[in-house]
Short mmCIF file of all heavy atoms in Angstrom, two decimals:
data_model
loop_
_atom_site.label_atom_id
_atom_site.label_comp_id
_atom_site.label_asym_id
_atom_site.label_seq_id
_atom_site.Cartn_x
_atom_site.Cartn_y
_atom_site.Cartn_z
N ASN A 161 -24.30 15.14 -4.70
CA ASN A 161 -23.35 14.23 -5.34
C ASN A 161 -23.38 14.38 -6.86
O ASN A 161 -22.33 14.30 -7.51
CB ASN A 161 -23.63 12.78 -4.93
CG ASN A 161 -22.92 12.39 -3.66
OD1 ASN A 161 -21.72 12.14 -3.67
ND2 ASN A 161 -23.65 12.34 -2.56
N HIS A 162 -24.57 14.59 -7.42
CA HIS A 162 -24.66 14.83 -8.87
C HIS A 162 -23.86 16.08 -9.23
O HIS A 162 -23.11 16.10 -10.22
CB HIS A 162 -26.13 14.98 -9.26
CG HIS A 162 -26.35 14.96 -10.74
ND1 HIS A 162 -27.62 14.92 -11.30
CD2 HIS A 162 -25.50 14.99 -11.79
CE1 HIS A 162 -27.51 14.91 -12.61
NE2 HIS A 162 -26.24 14.97 -12.94
N TRP A 163 -23.99 17.12 -8.40
CA TRP A 163 -23.24 18.36 -8.64
C TRP A 163 -21.73 18.12 -8.52
O TRP A 163 -20.94 18.59 -9.35
CB TRP A 163 -23.69 19.43 -7.66
CG TRP A 163 -22.98 20.74 -7.83
CD1 TRP A 163 -23.35 21.77 -8.66
CD2 TRP A 163 -21.79 21.16 -7.17
NE1 TRP A 163 -22.44 22.80 -8.55
CE2 TRP A 163 -21.48 22.45 -7.65
CE3 TRP A 163 -20.94 20.57 -6.23
CZ2 TRP A 163 -20.37 23.17 -7.22
CZ3 TRP A 163 -19.83 21.27 -5.80
CH2 TRP A 163 -19.55 22.55 -6.28
N LEU A 164 -21.32 17.38 -7.49
CA LEU A 164 -19.90 17.11 -7.29
C LEU A 164 -19.34 16.28 -8.43
O LEU A 164 -18.25 16.57 -8.97
CB LEU A 164 -19.69 16.40 -5.94
CG LEU A 164 -18.26 16.00 -5.57
CD1 LEU A 164 -17.33 17.20 -5.61
CD2 LEU A 164 -18.23 15.34 -4.20
N PHE A 165 -20.05 15.23 -8.82
CA PHE A 165 -19.63 14.44 -9.98
C PHE A 165 -19.53 15.33 -11.23
O PHE A 165 -18.62 15.15 -12.05
CB PHE A 165 -20.63 13.31 -10.24
CG PHE A 165 -20.36 12.05 -9.47
CD1 PHE A 165 -21.33 11.51 -8.63
CD2 PHE A 165 -19.14 11.39 -9.60
CE1 PHE A 165 -21.08 10.34 -7.93
CE2 PHE A 165 -18.89 10.21 -8.90
CZ PHE A 165 -19.87 9.69 -8.06
N SER A 166 -20.43 16.27 -11.39
CA SER A 166 -20.42 17.14 -12.57
C SER A 166 -19.14 17.97 -12.64
O SER A 166 -18.55 18.13 -13.71
CB SER A 166 -21.65 18.05 -12.55
OG SER A 166 -22.85 17.31 -12.62
N ARG A 167 -18.70 18.49 -11.48
CA ARG A 167 -17.47 19.29 -11.48
C ARG A 167 -16.26 18.40 -11.81
O ARG A 167 -15.32 18.83 -12.48
CB ARG A 167 -17.25 19.94 -10.12
CG ARG A 167 -18.40 20.80 -9.61
CD ARG A 167 -18.60 22.09 -10.40
NE ARG A 167 -19.15 21.89 -11.71
CZ ARG A 167 -20.44 21.62 -11.99
NH1 ARG A 167 -21.30 21.46 -11.00
NH2 ARG A 167 -20.87 21.50 -13.23
N LEU A 168 -16.30 17.19 -11.36
CA LEU A 168 -15.19 16.27 -11.63
C LEU A 168 -15.18 15.83 -13.09
O LEU A 168 -14.12 15.68 -13.70
CB LEU A 168 -15.28 15.07 -10.69
CG LEU A 168 -15.08 15.40 -9.20
CD1 LEU A 168 -15.50 14.23 -8.33
CD2 LEU A 168 -13.63 15.77 -8.92
N PHE A 169 -16.37 15.64 -13.66
CA PHE A 169 -16.43 15.30 -15.08
C PHE A 169 -15.99 16.48 -15.95
O PHE A 169 -15.38 16.29 -17.01
CB PHE A 169 -17.85 14.85 -15.47
CG PHE A 169 -18.06 13.37 -15.33
CD1 PHE A 169 -18.85 12.85 -14.32
CD2 PHE A 169 -17.45 12.48 -16.21
CE1 PHE A 169 -19.04 11.48 -14.19
CE2 PHE A 169 -17.64 11.11 -16.09
CZ PHE A 169 -18.44 10.61 -15.08
N GLU A 170 -16.27 17.70 -15.52
CA GLU A 170 -15.75 18.87 -16.24
C GLU A 170 -14.23 18.86 -16.25
O GLU A 170 -13.59 19.15 -17.27
CB GLU A 170 -16.24 20.16 -15.59
CG GLU A 170 -17.69 20.48 -15.84
CD GLU A 170 -18.14 21.71 -15.09
OE1 GLU A 170 -17.45 22.11 -14.12
OE2 GLU A 170 -19.19 22.26 -15.44
N ALA A 171 -13.63 18.53 -15.10
CA ALA A 171 -12.18 18.45 -15.03
C ALA A 171 -11.65 17.35 -15.93
O ALA A 171 -10.60 17.49 -16.56
CB ALA A 171 -11.74 18.21 -13.58
N LEU A 172 -12.39 16.24 -16.02
CA LEU A 172 -12.00 15.17 -16.94
C LEU A 172 -12.04 15.65 -18.38
O LEU A 172 -11.17 15.30 -19.19
CB LEU A 172 -12.95 13.98 -16.76
CG LEU A 172 -12.72 12.78 -17.69
CD1 LEU A 172 -11.42 12.08 -17.35
CD2 LEU A 172 -13.89 11.79 -17.58
N PHE A 173 -13.01 16.50 -18.70
CA PHE A 173 -13.10 17.06 -20.05
C PHE A 173 -11.82 17.82 -20.41
O PHE A 173 -11.30 17.71 -21.52
CB PHE A 173 -14.31 17.98 -20.15
CG PHE A 173 -14.39 18.75 -21.44
CD1 PHE A 173 -14.83 18.12 -22.59
CD2 PHE A 173 -14.03 20.08 -21.50
CE1 PHE A 173 -14.90 18.82 -23.79
CE2 PHE A 173 -14.10 20.78 -22.68
CZ PHE A 173 -14.53 20.15 -23.83
N HIS A 174 -11.30 18.58 -19.46
CA HIS A 174 -10.09 19.35 -19.72
C HIS A 174 -8.88 18.43 -19.89
O HIS A 174 -7.94 18.77 -20.61
CB HIS A 174 -9.83 20.34 -18.58
CG HIS A 174 -10.75 21.51 -18.59
ND1 HIS A 174 -10.66 22.52 -19.52
CD2 HIS A 174 -11.81 21.83 -17.79
CE1 HIS A 174 -11.60 23.43 -19.29
NE2 HIS A 174 -12.31 23.02 -18.25
N GLU A 175 -8.91 17.27 -19.23
CA GLU A 175 -7.79 16.34 -19.36
C GLU A 175 -7.91 15.47 -20.59
O GLU A 175 -6.93 14.86 -21.03
CB GLU A 175 -7.71 15.45 -18.11
CG GLU A 175 -7.26 16.19 -16.87
CD GLU A 175 -6.72 15.24 -15.81
OE1 GLU A 175 -7.03 14.03 -15.87
OE2 GLU A 175 -5.98 15.71 -14.93
N GLY A 176 -9.10 15.36 -21.14
CA GLY A 176 -9.30 14.53 -22.33
C GLY A 176 -10.57 13.71 -22.23
O GLY A 176 -10.56 12.56 -21.83
N TRP A 177 -11.69 14.36 -22.57
CA TRP A 177 -13.01 13.71 -22.50
C TRP A 177 -13.07 12.57 -23.52
O TRP A 177 -12.61 12.70 -24.64
CB TRP A 177 -14.06 14.77 -22.83
CG TRP A 177 -15.48 14.34 -22.68
CD1 TRP A 177 -16.26 13.75 -23.61
CD2 TRP A 177 -16.30 14.51 -21.52
NE1 TRP A 177 -17.52 13.53 -23.12
CE2 TRP A 177 -17.58 13.98 -21.83
CE3 TRP A 177 -16.09 15.03 -20.25
CZ2 TRP A 177 -18.63 13.97 -20.93
CZ3 TRP A 177 -17.13 15.03 -19.34
CH2 TRP A 177 -18.38 14.50 -19.67
N PRO A 178 -13.63 11.40 -23.14
CA PRO A 178 -13.77 10.30 -24.11
C PRO A 178 -14.48 10.76 -25.38
O PRO A 178 -15.53 11.42 -25.31
CB PRO A 178 -14.59 9.26 -23.34
CG PRO A 178 -14.27 9.53 -21.90
CD PRO A 178 -14.11 11.02 -21.79
N GLN A 179 -13.93 10.43 -26.52
CA GLN A 179 -14.44 10.94 -27.79
C GLN A 179 -15.87 10.53 -28.08
O GLN A 179 -16.61 11.24 -28.76
CB GLN A 179 -13.53 10.49 -28.93
CG GLN A 179 -12.15 11.12 -28.90
CD GLN A 179 -11.31 10.71 -30.10
OE1 GLN A 179 -11.72 9.86 -30.89
NE2 GLN A 179 -10.14 11.33 -30.23
N ASN A 180 -16.29 9.37 -27.58
CA ASN A 180 -17.65 8.89 -27.87
C ASN A 180 -18.69 9.42 -26.90
O ASN A 180 -19.85 9.03 -26.98
CB ASN A 180 -17.67 7.35 -27.85
CG ASN A 180 -16.95 6.76 -29.05
OD1 ASN A 180 -16.86 7.40 -30.10
ND2 ASN A 180 -16.43 5.56 -28.89
N TRP A 181 -18.27 10.28 -25.97
CA TRP A 181 -19.20 10.81 -24.98
C TRP A 181 -19.67 12.20 -25.38
O TRP A 181 -18.91 13.01 -25.93
CB TRP A 181 -18.54 10.89 -23.61
CG TRP A 181 -18.29 9.56 -22.95
CD1 TRP A 181 -18.31 8.34 -23.54
CD2 TRP A 181 -17.96 9.35 -21.59
NE1 TRP A 181 -18.03 7.37 -22.63
CE2 TRP A 181 -17.80 7.96 -21.40
CE3 TRP A 181 -17.79 10.18 -20.50
CZ2 TRP A 181 -17.47 7.40 -20.18
CZ3 TRP A 181 -17.46 9.63 -19.26
CH2 TRP A 181 -17.31 8.24 -19.12
N THR A 182 -20.91 12.51 -25.07
CA THR A 182 -21.44 13.86 -25.17
C THR A 182 -21.98 14.27 -23.81
O THR A 182 -22.18 13.43 -22.93
CB THR A 182 -22.56 13.96 -26.22
OG1 THR A 182 -23.64 13.09 -25.82
CG2 THR A 182 -22.06 13.54 -27.59
N TRP A 183 -22.21 15.58 -23.64
CA TRP A 183 -22.71 16.03 -22.35
C TRP A 183 -23.58 17.26 -22.54
O TRP A 183 -23.54 17.92 -23.59
CB TRP A 183 -21.58 16.33 -21.37
CG TRP A 183 -20.66 17.43 -21.82
CD1 TRP A 183 -19.61 17.32 -22.68
CD2 TRP A 183 -20.71 18.80 -21.43
NE1 TRP A 183 -18.99 18.52 -22.86
CE2 TRP A 183 -19.65 19.46 -22.08
CE3 TRP A 183 -21.54 19.53 -20.57
CZ2 TRP A 183 -19.41 20.82 -21.93
CZ3 TRP A 183 -21.30 20.88 -20.41
CH2 TRP A 183 -20.24 21.50 -21.07
N GLU A 184 -24.38 17.55 -21.52
CA GLU A 184 -25.22 18.74 -21.51
C GLU A 184 -25.43 19.19 -20.08
O GLU A 184 -25.30 18.40 -19.14
CB GLU A 184 -26.59 18.45 -22.15
CG GLU A 184 -27.42 17.46 -21.33
CD GLU A 184 -28.85 17.33 -21.83
OE1 GLU A 184 -29.39 18.35 -22.30
OE2 GLU A 184 -29.39 16.21 -21.74
N TYR A 185 -25.75 20.49 -19.92
CA TYR A 185 -26.09 21.00 -18.60
C TYR A 185 -27.60 20.93 -18.39
O TYR A 185 -28.38 21.30 -19.27
CB TYR A 185 -25.64 22.46 -18.46
CG TYR A 185 -24.16 22.64 -18.16
CD1 TYR A 185 -23.41 23.59 -18.84
CD2 TYR A 185 -23.54 21.85 -17.19
CE1 TYR A 185 -22.07 23.77 -18.57
CE2 TYR A 185 -22.19 22.02 -16.91
CZ TYR A 185 -21.47 22.97 -17.60
OH TYR A 185 -20.13 23.14 -17.32
N LEU A 186 -27.98 20.48 -17.21
CA LEU A 186 -29.37 20.52 -16.79
C LEU A 186 -29.66 21.88 -16.17
O LEU A 186 -28.78 22.72 -16.05
CB LEU A 186 -29.65 19.39 -15.79
CG LEU A 186 -29.32 17.97 -16.26
CD1 LEU A 186 -29.51 16.99 -15.11
CD2 LEU A 186 -30.19 17.58 -17.45
N GLU A 187 -30.88 22.10 -15.75
CA GLU A 187 -31.24 23.35 -15.09
C GLU A 187 -30.56 23.42 -13.72
O GLU A 187 -30.46 22.40 -13.01
CB GLU A 187 -32.75 23.46 -14.92
CG GLU A 187 -33.51 23.68 -16.23
CD GLU A 187 -33.14 24.99 -16.87
OE1 GLU A 187 -33.08 26.02 -16.16
OE2 GLU A 187 -32.91 25.00 -18.10
N PRO A 188 -30.09 24.60 -13.29
CA PRO A 188 -29.48 24.72 -11.96
C PRO A 188 -30.51 24.47 -10.86
O PRO A 188 -31.72 24.67 -11.05
CB PRO A 188 -28.97 26.16 -11.93
CG PRO A 188 -29.78 26.88 -12.94
CD PRO A 188 -30.11 25.88 -14.02
N VAL A 189 -30.04 24.04 -9.71
CA VAL A 189 -30.91 23.77 -8.58
C VAL A 189 -30.45 24.57 -7.37
O VAL A 189 -29.28 24.97 -7.28
CB VAL A 189 -30.94 22.26 -8.23
CG1 VAL A 189 -31.49 21.44 -9.36
CG2 VAL A 189 -29.54 21.76 -7.85
N ASN A 190 -31.37 24.80 -6.47
CA ASN A 190 -31.09 25.51 -5.23
C ASN A 190 -31.70 24.70 -4.10
O ASN A 190 -32.91 24.54 -4.04
CB ASN A 190 -31.70 26.92 -5.29
CG ASN A 190 -31.23 27.79 -4.13
OD1 ASN A 190 -30.82 27.29 -3.10
ND2 ASN A 190 -31.30 29.10 -4.32
N ARG A 191 -30.86 24.17 -3.22
CA ARG A 191 -31.35 23.29 -2.16
C ARG A 191 -30.93 23.81 -0.80
O ARG A 191 -29.81 24.28 -0.61
CB ARG A 191 -30.81 21.87 -2.34
CG ARG A 191 -31.28 21.18 -3.60
CD ARG A 191 -32.72 20.69 -3.47
NE ARG A 191 -33.08 19.83 -4.58
CZ ARG A 191 -33.58 20.24 -5.74
NH1 ARG A 191 -33.78 21.53 -5.92
NH2 ARG A 191 -33.88 19.40 -6.71
N GLU A 192 -31.83 23.71 0.15
CA GLU A 192 -31.53 24.05 1.54
C GLU A 192 -31.87 22.86 2.42
O GLU A 192 -32.94 22.27 2.29
CB GLU A 192 -32.32 25.29 1.98
CG GLU A 192 -32.03 25.72 3.40
CD GLU A 192 -32.73 27.02 3.78
OE1 GLU A 192 -33.37 27.62 2.90
OE2 GLU A 192 -32.63 27.42 4.96
N TYR A 193 -30.95 22.52 3.32
CA TYR A 193 -31.13 21.35 4.17
C TYR A 193 -30.95 21.75 5.64
O TYR A 193 -29.96 22.38 6.00
CB TYR A 193 -30.12 20.26 3.82
CG TYR A 193 -30.19 19.80 2.39
CD1 TYR A 193 -29.28 20.28 1.45
CD2 TYR A 193 -31.15 18.89 1.97
CE1 TYR A 193 -29.34 19.85 0.13
CE2 TYR A 193 -31.21 18.46 0.65
CZ TYR A 193 -30.30 18.96 -0.26
OH TYR A 193 -30.35 18.53 -1.57
N GLY A 194 -31.92 21.36 6.45
CA GLY A 194 -31.77 21.55 7.89
C GLY A 194 -32.06 22.94 8.39
O GLY A 194 -31.36 23.42 9.27
N ALA A 195 -33.05 23.61 7.83
CA ALA A 195 -33.39 24.95 8.31
C ALA A 195 -33.73 24.90 9.80
O ALA A 195 -34.30 23.92 10.30
CB ALA A 195 -34.56 25.51 7.52
N ALA A 196 -33.36 25.95 10.50
CA ALA A 196 -33.58 26.01 11.95
C ALA A 196 -35.07 25.87 12.27
O ALA A 196 -35.93 26.43 11.59
CB ALA A 196 -33.04 27.31 12.51
N LYS A 197 -35.36 25.10 13.31
CA LYS A 197 -36.75 24.93 13.73
C LYS A 197 -36.94 25.48 15.13
O LYS A 197 -35.98 25.63 15.90
CB LYS A 197 -37.14 23.45 13.69
CG LYS A 197 -36.36 22.57 14.66
CD LYS A 197 -36.86 21.13 14.59
CE LYS A 197 -36.12 20.26 15.61
NZ LYS A 197 -36.62 18.87 15.62
N CYS A 198 -38.17 25.78 15.46
CA CYS A 198 -38.50 26.32 16.78
C CYS A 198 -38.45 25.18 17.80
O CYS A 198 -39.12 24.16 17.65
CB CYS A 198 -39.87 26.96 16.75
SG CYS A 198 -40.30 27.81 18.28
N LEU A 199 -37.64 25.35 18.84
CA LEU A 199 -37.47 24.31 19.84
C LEU A 199 -38.49 24.46 20.96
O LEU A 199 -38.85 25.57 21.35
CB LEU A 199 -36.05 24.36 20.42
CG LEU A 199 -34.89 24.16 19.46
CD1 LEU A 199 -33.56 24.29 20.19
CD2 LEU A 199 -34.97 22.82 18.77
N SER A 200 -38.93 23.33 21.47
CA SER A 200 -39.83 23.34 22.62
C SER A 200 -39.03 23.68 23.87
O SER A 200 -37.80 23.68 23.89
CB SER A 200 -40.48 21.98 22.79
OG SER A 200 -39.51 21.00 23.14
N GLY A 201 -39.74 24.00 24.96
CA GLY A 201 -39.07 24.31 26.21
C GLY A 201 -38.21 23.16 26.70
O GLY A 201 -37.10 23.37 27.20
N LYS A 202 -38.71 21.92 26.55
CA LYS A 202 -37.95 20.75 26.97
C LYS A 202 -36.68 20.60 26.15
O LYS A 202 -35.61 20.28 26.69
CB LYS A 202 -38.82 19.50 26.86
CG LYS A 202 -38.15 18.23 27.34
CD LYS A 202 -39.05 17.02 27.19
CE LYS A 202 -40.22 17.10 28.14
NZ LYS A 202 -41.05 15.84 28.11
N GLU A 203 -36.78 20.85 24.84
CA GLU A 203 -35.60 20.74 23.98
C GLU A 203 -34.57 21.81 24.31
O GLU A 203 -33.36 21.55 24.29
CB GLU A 203 -36.03 20.84 22.51
CG GLU A 203 -36.78 19.62 22.00
CD GLU A 203 -37.36 19.84 20.61
OE1 GLU A 203 -37.77 20.97 20.30
OE2 GLU A 203 -37.41 18.85 19.84
N ARG A 204 -35.03 23.03 24.61
CA ARG A 204 -34.09 24.09 24.99
C ARG A 204 -33.39 23.74 26.29
O ARG A 204 -32.18 23.96 26.44
CB ARG A 204 -34.82 25.41 25.10
CG ARG A 204 -35.25 26.00 23.75
CD ARG A 204 -35.60 27.48 23.89
NE ARG A 204 -36.75 27.67 24.75
CZ ARG A 204 -38.01 27.67 24.34
NH1 ARG A 204 -38.28 27.48 23.05
NH2 ARG A 204 -39.01 27.86 25.18
N LEU A 205 -34.14 23.21 27.26
CA LEU A 205 -33.54 22.83 28.53
C LEU A 205 -32.52 21.72 28.33
O LEU A 205 -31.43 21.74 28.93
CB LEU A 205 -34.63 22.37 29.50
CG LEU A 205 -34.14 21.86 30.87
CD1 LEU A 205 -33.37 22.95 31.61
CD2 LEU A 205 -35.33 21.37 31.71
N ARG A 206 -32.87 20.74 27.48
CA ARG A 206 -31.93 19.67 27.19
C ARG A 206 -30.65 20.21 26.57
O ARG A 206 -29.55 19.77 26.88
CB ARG A 206 -32.59 18.65 26.26
CG ARG A 206 -31.77 17.37 26.07
CD ARG A 206 -32.46 16.40 25.14
NE ARG A 206 -33.74 15.94 25.68
CZ ARG A 206 -34.91 16.14 25.11
NH1 ARG A 206 -34.99 16.80 23.96
NH2 ARG A 206 -36.02 15.68 25.66
#
Side-chain angles (χ1 to χ4, degrees):
N161 272 284
H162 192 172
W163 181 88
L164 179 55
F165 273 123
S166 298
R167 305 291 72 76
L168 295 167
F169 269 108
E170 286 176 342
L172 177 68
F173 172 77
H174 286 287
E175 290 200 340
W177 186 271
Q179 292 184 353
N180 289 334
W181 289 16
T182 61
W183 61 278
E184 66 171 325
Y185 280 135
L186 304 174
E187 290 296 315
V189 297
N190 190 337
R191 296 283 190 272
E192 181 175 355
Y193 302 99
K197 63 177 182 177
C198 186
L199 299 178
S200 67
K202 183 180 292 186
E203 289 172 325
R204 288 196 296 271
L205 177 60
R206 189 180 297 119

